[in-house]
């Protein structure tokens, strides 16, 4: 299929995260280029049901795949996509994202409580995918097949990136998950200095506004303190990496300030987090100033009051304790096991500290049900306390609105939000900007597989370089040179400057053609004289030859002619004319030979009187 590079139609199609949270996967198509943004899985589903709707695209036509961060709903389907489909493009993510991706997905494979048949990929597939992933630095501009892109810090989690893409002059900013609020270890998302034409942004929290960080932290530590003070166990289900590191910093500091709590253990039940902690220490420079300054004195990720717990078999459950366990949605794994062990005791408590996707146990618990279903299919009474204190590092309404007000993108595409939250956000943004005269923002909130179609004509600009640029052209004057197209950039250059200003170099093409020809050479000379006027006698590889139009050399060899010329549009035309005459003579040699013999070819040179020079 030929790529349509002339169409001004730009298509944005969510294959996942369209009016839902989970399986983020956004397709862009413009000027014959195809880009996939993230390829995640849905936390509330299993097997192929958890995948984005990638069957709507031809994987082998995708140029690049950009992964924003290491959470499963953004990269969880990547090994499957790289190893189980026809995708042959290039994959990019930041260094920290790749370092954690390897361990996070390995842990996902091990703890997934599903049959082998439903597993999307194996550990071997994950290992193979690592070799195909390329890394980029923040602010490093890359270009692949005419697609330019670079990334900015997104906050959210270590290594999270917002990608700016440019295709044929049109700029698209994809935020992924982002947060404009600096926390204890991550910097706030950057404001790009370049205004995008299209902003694709998350709508996770809709019109909600987060608590102030100090208020949220105080409520969190107070709730933990209350649970352990009443003799209970405090379960904090978290993703192994991301918000967990923020909560560990808060708890370790709070325990240090309260000696009365030193006898109560805090466990972080994640061997994965212990493996990945060196990654956090390696990429300190990707964190905020507070962490970078503290590392010079002591490592903030060496916790004094927190112990790592490899599994439930190592847990001595004999009294009050605080346990942070993954996964955060409580669909399986240690967090689910501990909850089912503790939920029937009213002294115990669960603190849900992050965003919960529809269809998961954590989301169900937020409604404080009296009874829950166990992973084995039974029923348990729910008597423990449930508290929701969001530390989710997603943009709220204030952050999103301010972000949009600074960037002023003409088009906004909302993704990664439940239908109601997304609709409320769209309505609020429309109300906010409807009275702003200098703003003409159009907001889209497509469902999964629904295309947003936008038109961008743009102007083609040609850069004149080299000797052509040494003289300022006059108005309406023609400028002649070689037009070189690379991606969507055009350069006009004089032929002698080609090697200096482009990756190209001038070359000469010699063309040669052999045709059958029976009549003597004198007949040919006669009609070539009629065609071209003066002929030039030359030697060609030791044989007498005739040059026609000072361009096409003809030599007779037995019963055929050899034509040779330097290829260009003028010489090719001359060669076609010569060849036409030769074919006419050969079609009726007796008639043409008689015509030539009746003439007096006194103007023909003696066939033996050729100059010494020859053409090789």
């Amino acid at each position: 299929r030929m790529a349509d590079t002339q169409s001004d139609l730009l298509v944005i199609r969510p294959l996942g995260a369209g009016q839902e949270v989970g399986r983020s996967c956004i397709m862009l198509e413009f000027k014959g280029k195809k880009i996939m943004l993230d390829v995640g899985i849905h936390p509330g589903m299993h097997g192929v049901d958890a995948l984005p709707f990638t069957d709507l695209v031809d994987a082998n036509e995708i140029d690049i795949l950009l992964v924003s961060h290491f959470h499963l709903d953004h990269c969880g389907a990547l090994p499957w996509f790289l190893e189980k489909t026809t995708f042959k493009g290039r994959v990019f993510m930041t260094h920290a994202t790749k370092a954690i991706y390897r361990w996070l997905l390995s842990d996902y494979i091990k703890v997934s409580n599903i049959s082998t048949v439903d597993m999307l990929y194996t550990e071997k597939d994950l290992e193979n995918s690592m070799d195909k992933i390329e890394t980029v630095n923040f602010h490093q501009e890359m270009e692949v097949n005419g697609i330019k892109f670079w990334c900015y810090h997104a906050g959210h989690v270590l290594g999270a990136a917002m990608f700016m893409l440019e295709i044929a002059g049109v700029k698209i900013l994809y935020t992924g998950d982002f947060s404009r609020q600096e926390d204890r270890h991550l910097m706030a998302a950057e404001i790009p200095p370049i205004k995008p034409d299209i902003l694709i942004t998350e709508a996770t929290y809709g019109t909600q506004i987060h608590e102030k960080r100090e208020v949220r932290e105080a409520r969190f530590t107070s709730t933990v303190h209350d649970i352990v003070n009443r003799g209970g166990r405090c379960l904090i289900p978290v993703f192994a990496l991301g918000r967990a590191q923020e909560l560990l910093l808060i708890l370790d500091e709070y325990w240090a300030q309260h000696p009365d709590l030193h006898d109560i253990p805090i466990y972080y039940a994640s061997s994965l987090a212990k493996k990945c902690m060196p990654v956090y220490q390696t990429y300190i420079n990707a964190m905020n100033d507070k962490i970078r300054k503290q590392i010079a004195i002591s490592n903030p990720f060496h916790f004094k009051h927190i112990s790592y717990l490899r599994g439930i078999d190592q847990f001595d459950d004999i009294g009050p304790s605080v346990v942070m366990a993954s996964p955060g949605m409580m669909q399986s794994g240690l967090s689910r096991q501990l909850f089912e062990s503790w939920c029937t005791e009213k002294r115990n408590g669960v603190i849900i500290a992050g965003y919960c996707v529809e269809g998961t146990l954590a989301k169900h618990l937020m409604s404080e049900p009296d009874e829950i279903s166990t992973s084995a299919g039974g029923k348990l009474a729910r008597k423990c306390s449930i508290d929701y204190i969001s530390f989710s590092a997603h943009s709220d309404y204030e952050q999103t609105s301010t972000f949009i007000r600074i960037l002023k993108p003409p088009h906004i595409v909302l993704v990664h939000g439940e239908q109601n939250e997304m609709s409320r956000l769209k309505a609020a943004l429309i109300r906010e900007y409807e009275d702003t005269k200098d703003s003409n923002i159009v907001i889209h909130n497509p469902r999964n597989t629904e295309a947003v179609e936008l038109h961008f004509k743009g102007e083609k600009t040609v850069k004149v370089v080299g000797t052509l640029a040494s003289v300022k052209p006059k108005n309406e004057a023609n400028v002649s040179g070689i037009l070189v197209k690379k991606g969507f950039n055009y350069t006009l250059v004089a032929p002698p400057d080609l090697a200096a200003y482009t990756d190209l170099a001038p070359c000469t093409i010699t063309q040669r053609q052999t045709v059958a020809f029976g009549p003597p050479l004198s007949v040919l000379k006669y009609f070539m004289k009629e065609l071209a006027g003066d002929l030039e006698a030359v030697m060609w590889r030791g044989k007498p030859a005739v040059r026609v139009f000072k361009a096409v050399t003809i030599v007779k060899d037995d019963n055929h002619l050899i034509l040779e010329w330097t290829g260009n549009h003028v010489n090719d035309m001359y060669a076609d004319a010569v060849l036409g005459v030769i074919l006419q003579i050969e079609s009726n040699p007796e008639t043409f030979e008689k015509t030539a013999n009746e003439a007096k070819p006194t103007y023909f040179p003696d066939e033996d009187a050729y100059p010494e020079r020859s053409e090789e």
Side-chain angles (χ1 to χ4, degrees):
R1 188 181 65 84
M2 292 295 291
D4 186 358
T5 60
Q6 300 304 316
S7 173
D8 61 357
L9 177 64
L10 188 152
V11 179
I12 301 170
R13 190 190 306 272
L15 304 180
Q19 297 189 10
E20 69 172 359
V21 176
R23 57 179 166 190
S24 285
C25 187
I26 316 298
M27 278 298 303
L28 301 180
E29 297 182 34
F30 187 48
K31 298 292 184 183
K33 307 299 180 184
K34 294 190 178 183
I35 302 101
M36 180 177 281
L37 303 170
D38 285 334
V39 58
I41 56 173
H42 196 294
M45 301 178 184
H46 297 297
V48 293
D49 292 338
L51 292 171
F53 296 94
T54 53
D55 52 334
L56 294 182
V57 297
D58 290 327
N60 62 344
E61 294 181 357
I62 297 172
D63 295 281
I64 57 172
L65 195 168
L66 304 177
V67 176
S68 62
H69 64 286
F70 59 68
H71 279 156
L72 291 174
D73 62 324
H74 290 260
C75 73
L78 184 57
W80 172 85
F81 194 70
L82 296 186
E83 298 302 315
K84 308 293 186 181
T85 73
T86 58
F87 176 74
K88 296 293 187 295
R90 296 171 67 181
V91 188
F92 296 90
M93 58 179 68
T94 64
H95 294 271
T97 298
K98 183 177 181 180
I100 295 173
Y101 157 88
R102 170 68 180 83
W103 298 110
L104 191 72
L105 269 68
S106 178
D107 185 69
Y108 164 72
I109 293 169
K110 291 172 185 172
V111 304
S112 293
N113 188 25
I114 58 176
S115 67
T116 305
V117 176
D118 287 332
M119 286 299 294
L120 296 171
Y121 47 84
T122 64
E123 187 77 25
K124 182 65 175 175
D125 293 327
L126 175 58
E127 289 176 12
N128 292 340
S129 75
M130 290 294 289
D131 295 332
K132 300 177 181 178
I133 298 171
E134 301 176 57
T135 53
V136 290
N137 298 315
F138 288 102
H139 310 126
Q140 175 190 0
E141 184 175 309
M142 302 286 290
E143 183 168 352
V144 177
N145 296 340
I147 306 164
K148 293 180 182 177
F149 65 93
W150 58 96
C151 61
Y152 301 98
H153 290 279
H156 190 61
V157 293
L158 180 64
M162 300 186 291
F163 283 98
M164 181 78 82
L165 299 102
E166 182 179 343
I167 308 170
V170 177
K171 297 178 179 65
I172 306 113
L173 177 64
Y174 174 61
T175 66
D177 293 351
F178 79 110
S179 173
R180 286 282 299 142
Q181 185 179 60
E182 184 173 306
D183 57 25
R184 285 177 174 252
H185 74 295
L186 292 175
M187 62 181 71
E190 295 178 87
I191 300 285
I194 300 170
K195 175 183 174 180
D197 299 290
I198 303 167
L199 173 65
I200 305 174
T201 186
E202 66 159 313
T204 314
Y205 279 94
T207 55
Q208 297 179 46
I209 297 175
H210 296 325
E211 286 180 295
K212 296 294 183 185
R213 195 185 81 183
E214 297 78 10
V215 174
R216 182 175 62 200
E217 289 185 5
R219 194 156 68 90
F220 172 69
T221 52
S222 175
T223 304
V224 173
H225 202 146
D226 288 346
I227 293 171
V228 295
N229 258 3
R230 66 184 185 229
R233 282 88 166 162
C234 177
L235 173 63
I236 308 171
V238 291
F239 289 113
L241 299 158
R243 290 300 83 199
Q245 282 60 43
E246 183 77 0
L247 299 179
L248 290 171
L249 289 166
I250 294 168
L251 286 174
D252 199 54
E253 180 185 278
Y254 188 78
W255 248 242
Q257 295 169 353
H258 293 78
D260 57 309
L261 295 174
H262 287 185
D263 291 336
I264 296 175
I266 303 175
Y267 297 107
Y268 187 19
S270 174
S271 58
L272 168 64
K274 190 171 183 180
K275 290 176 185 174
C276 291
M277 203 52 69
V279 178
Y280 274 73
Q281 294 161 12
T282 300
Y283 294 101
I284 288 291
N285 286 334
M287 300 184 197
N288 58 28
D289 288 339
K290 182 180 177 181
I291 290 289
R292 289 201 294 267
K293 290 175 182 176
Q294 189 176 340
I295 197 74
I297 303 168
S298 62
N299 191 333
F301 294 106
H302 282 168
F303 303 112
K304 297 178 182 177
H305 302 281
I306 297 167
S307 304
Y308 286 100
L309 190 66
R310 291 182 63 87
I312 199 167
D313 54 325
Q314 295 183 340
F315 182 41
D316 193 8
D317 188 12
I318 57 174
S321 62
V322 180
V323 179
M324 290 175 60
S326 60
M329 304 290 180
M330 303 174 69
Q331 288 297 87
S332 59
L334 189 55
S335 62
R336 181 66 174 257
Q337 288 179 270
L338 290 174
F339 174 75
E340 292 182 3
S341 298
W342 293 350
C343 69
T344 56
E345 172 56 61
K346 65 180 181 179
R347 291 181 301 174
N348 299 335
V350 176
I351 299 177
I352 297 172
Y355 184 84
C356 301
V357 173
E358 293 288 346
T360 61
L361 175 60
K363 184 70 172 180
H364 180 54
L365 289 179
M366 289 172 63
S367 64
E368 300 190 31
D370 294 328
E371 190 177 68
I372 62 102
S373 299
T374 67
S375 53
K379 299 288 184 181
L380 285 174
R382 195 278 308 168
K383 296 182 180 179
C384 65
S385 64
I386 305 291
D387 291 276
Y388 177 61
I389 306 172
S390 177
F391 282 84
S392 181
H394 289 271
S395 178
D396 66 359
Y397 180 74
E398 285 185 350
Q399 294 176 39
T400 301
S401 177
T402 302
F403 194 68
I404 291 170
R405 188 167 291 279
I406 294 170
L407 293 177
K408 292 184 175 64
H411 294 276
I412 298 171
V413 179
L414 301 177
V415 296
H416 199 283
E418 300 297 343
Q419 184 176 4
N420 291 337
E421 293 290 352
M422 191 179 285
S423 297
R424 281 193 283 267
L425 176 58
K426 178 179 179 179
L429 290 173
I430 290 172
R431 284 195 302 272
E432 181 173 342
Y433 290 98
E434 63 185 356
D435 297 327
T436 306
K437 293 181 180 179
D438 62 341
S439 179
N440 186 23
I441 294 176
V442 181
I443 302 171
H444 312 265
N445 59 334
R447 301 184 303 274
N448 278 339
T449 74
E450 180 185 351
V452 174
E453 297 185 347
L454 306 172
H455 291 268
F456 291 90
K457 285 191 176 180
E459 294 182 353
K460 291 184 174 70
T461 303
V462 178
K463 182 188 289 185
V464 180
V465 298
T467 54
L468 291 180
S470 61
V471 179
K472 186 176 181 180
K474 297 178 181 179
N475 287 336
E476 305 299 328
N478 292 329
V479 180
S480 298
I482 297 175
L483 185 64
V484 180
K485 180 177 182 287
K486 184 177 182 182
F488 296 102
N489 297 320
Y490 296 85
T491 303
L492 189 67
V493 60
D497 295 335
L498 200 62
Y501 291 93
T502 72
D503 296 331
L504 305 174
C507 62
T508 300
I509 299 175
T510 299
Q511 301 202 60
R512 186 178 299 153
Q513 188 159 351
T514 302
V515 292
F517 190 79
L521 186 61
S522 59
V523 175
L524 176 67
K525 288 179 181 179
Y526 172 78
F527 287 102
M528 288 299 105
K529 178 72 176 179
E530 292 291 307
L531 173 68
D534 292 337
L535 305 180
E536 183 182 359
V538 296
M539 293 296 291
W540 184 87
R541 298 189 178 182
K543 295 182 179 181
V546 174
R547 180 180 290 160
V548 185
F549 295 117
K550 298 183 179 180
V552 183
T553 300
I554 308 171
V555 62
K556 193 169 189 304
D557 188 12
D558 295 329
N559 290 324
H560 62 268
L561 295 176
I562 299 172
L563 281 68
E564 186 176 277
W565 68 98
T566 299
N568 60 50
H569 63 286
V570 175
N571 290 352
D572 290 350
M573 180 182 67
Y574 287 151
D576 287 343
V578 169
L579 184 60
V581 172
I582 291 171
L583 293 177
Q584 279 190 318
I585 297 171
E586 181 62 20
S587 67
N588 195 352
E590 293 82 3
T591 301
F592 283 94
E593 190 171 343
K594 181 180 179 181
T595 302
N597 290 335
E598 289 174 353
K600 295 182 179 180
T602 56
Y603 41 73
F604 291 141
D606 188 339
E607 291 187 8
D608 296 325
Y610 283 88
E612 293 298 321
R613 68 183 182 87
S614 65
E615 293 191 353
E616 297 296 334

